[in-house]
Amino acid sequence: MSSVRIAPLHPSLGAEVNGVDLGQPLDEPTRETLTHALADHLALVFRDQSLTPAQYLAAAAAFGPPMEQHYSQHHMPGFPLIGLIWHRNGQQPAEQWHTDHTNRERPPAATILYGVEIPSAGGGTSVANMRAAYAALPEDERRRLESLTTFNGLDGHADTRPEDLQKYGTPIAHPMVRTHPVHGSRAVYFHISKATYIEGMTPETSKAYMRDLLDRMIQPSIVYHHRWRRGDVLVIDDRATMHRAHGDYDRRESRVLWRVIVEGDRPRLL
Ligand SMILES: [Fe+2]
């Protein structure tokens, strides 16, 4: 009998999971419960976790096989499947709404973040329910989006390594609406800076349309804002949400998150 308890955090998405120590091996019924909870709630929060890198990777594997992240300059030394999110190594907070690693043929099912050092104020992470965003669009626009395909590449930063560009820069096509493999529902799916263009549109028109979609779709009613506490693990469903970081914290303070992404299905519209 699983002792997992799940309590919603917001009317649209997000739930706190209690009764799970991610430092211990997770049995099959617990994994099953968590897989379905993620598909239903789209963002799961585990509080007060205390994890070594190896324990963290083992826990993350409950949501799928950990996959390599394409900015290898930010891999944790000795644990290349963990990415370090840390402004002191030159990273800018990803403040634009996006879902992760859409330049991969099988992009992540989930992004998992572990709060290791948390500033005293600000620096939260917001997650938007793109299943609700899809449902709220007018019928004709839903039909239009269902017919569109993005082509995705690596949106290199100044410090991107040439070998990563070569490995992960091949254009990958994805539908702009995808069916969730566990939940069965549809969600709007794109990454505005990794999608270089939408099929049949110029890059400029594509970007303008995606910008306009984000502006219209992402309303406070479909956003869960996570205020970090040290020891939090936040699991984000990348198949039916977008997320963004908030850079509104004092840079003299440290903010360190450990990120793991786990492989999912090839996006499909069914
Ligand atoms: Fe991200």
Side-chain angles (χ1 to χ4, degrees), residues 98 100 243 259:
H98 67 282
D100 283 341
H243 61 270
R259 177 170 79 165

Side-chain angles (χ1 to χ4, degrees), residues 41-117:
H41 298 283
L42 301 176
L44 300 179
V45 178
F46 301 77
R47 303 280 189 191
D48 302 315
Q49 301 295 316
S50 176
L51 303 169
T52 64
Q55 287 173 321
Y56 181 41
L57 276 172
F63 296 98
M67 59 192 276
E68 193 177 290
Q69 301 174 41
H70 48 220
Y71 296 124
S72 63
Q73 72 274 30
H74 302 312
H75 290 176
M76 179 186 284
F79 289 91
L81 291 173
I82 299 178
L84 291 174
I85 297 177
W86 188 36
H87 71 254
R88 296 212 170 118
N89 64 6
Q91 291 175 54
Q92 297 299 320
E95 296 206 80
Q96 179 147 254
W97 288 106
H98 67 282
T99 181
D100 283 341
H101 281 57
T102 56
N103 54 318
R104 305 290 273 275
E105 191 170 319
R106 293 163 64 92
T111 293
I112 305 166
L113 301 169
Y114 176 37
V116 176
E117 289 180 52

Side-chain angles (χ1 to χ4, degrees), residues 28-262:
E28 199 45 48
T30 304
R31 286 167 170 253
E32 214 27 43
T33 301
L34 295 179
T35 298
H36 286 276
L38 182 63
D40 289 344
H41 298 283
L42 301 176
L44 300 179
V45 178
F46 301 77
R47 303 280 189 191
D48 302 315
Q49 301 295 316
S50 176
L51 303 169
T52 64
Q55 287 173 321
Y56 181 41
L57 276 172
F63 296 98
M67 59 192 276
E68 193 177 290
Q69 301 174 41
H70 48 220
Y71 296 124
S72 63
Q73 72 274 30
H74 302 312
H75 290 176
M76 179 186 284
F79 289 91
L81 291 173
I82 299 178
L84 291 174
I85 297 177
W86 188 36
H87 71 254
R88 296 212 170 118
N89 64 6
Q91 291 175 54
Q92 297 299 320
E95 296 206 80
Q96 179 147 254
W97 288 106
H98 67 282
T99 181
D100 283 341
H101 281 57
T102 56
N103 54 318
R104 305 290 273 275
E105 191 170 319
R106 293 163 64 92
T111 293
I112 305 166
L113 301 169
Y114 176 37
V116 176
E117 289 180 52
I118 303 302
S120 56
T125 301
S126 291
V127 188
N129 182 343
M130 300 312 291
R131 180 184 286 161
Y134 167 81
L137 286 172
E139 166 98 31
D140 56 345
E141 192 158 28
R142 289 206 297 269
R143 297 294 91 83
R144 178 178 185 216
L145 275 177
E146 286 158 9
S147 73
L148 296 177
T149 300
T150 56
F151 283 83
N152 298 265
L154 190 59
D155 51 345
H157 302 175
D159 61 349
T160 300
R161 292 175 171 161
E163 63 265 33
D164 292 333
L165 274 175
Q166 200 181 2
K167 231 159 129 185
Y168 300 121
T170 316
I172 298 285
H174 290 309
M176 288 191 81
V177 176
R178 67 180 292 189
T179 304
H180 197 288
V182 178
H183 194 272
S185 55
R186 292 178 173 187
V188 178
Y189 185 75
F190 64 85
H191 185 315
I192 189 170
S193 46
K194 289 204 166 61
T196 47
Y197 68 99
I198 297 169
E199 193 170 29
M201 294 167 69
T202 65
E204 295 70 28
T205 316
S206 304
K207 297 283 182 189
Y209 181 46
M210 287 186 276
R211 178 81 267 150
D212 172 54
L213 276 168
L214 292 177
D215 290 346
R216 283 186 288 125
M217 290 189 303
I218 300 185
Q219 302 295 328
S221 59
I222 63 162
V223 174
Y224 164 64
H225 180 74
H226 186 67
R227 277 185 188 76
W228 285 97
R229 293 184 214 158
R230 189 189 173 105
D232 285 353
V233 170
L234 171 64
V235 184
I236 298 169
D237 188 313
D238 283 327
R239 301 159 293 194
T241 68
M242 291 191 192
H243 61 270
R244 56 159 292 191
H246 293 265
D248 58 343
Y249 65 95
D250 187 338
R251 291 298 190 282
R252 290 168 300 187
E253 295 189 59
S254 201
R255 178 182 187 269
V256 179
L257 305 179
W258 294 355
R259 177 170 79 165
V260 174
I261 56 175
V262 296

Side-chain angles (χ1 to χ4, degrees), residues 4-27:
V4 182
R5 298 180 309 282
I6 292 162
L9 289 164
H10 181 279
S12 184
L13 78 163
E16 185 168 317
V17 181
N18 290 291
V20 178
D21 176 359
L22 295 176
Q24 301 295 322
L26 301 174
D27 60 21

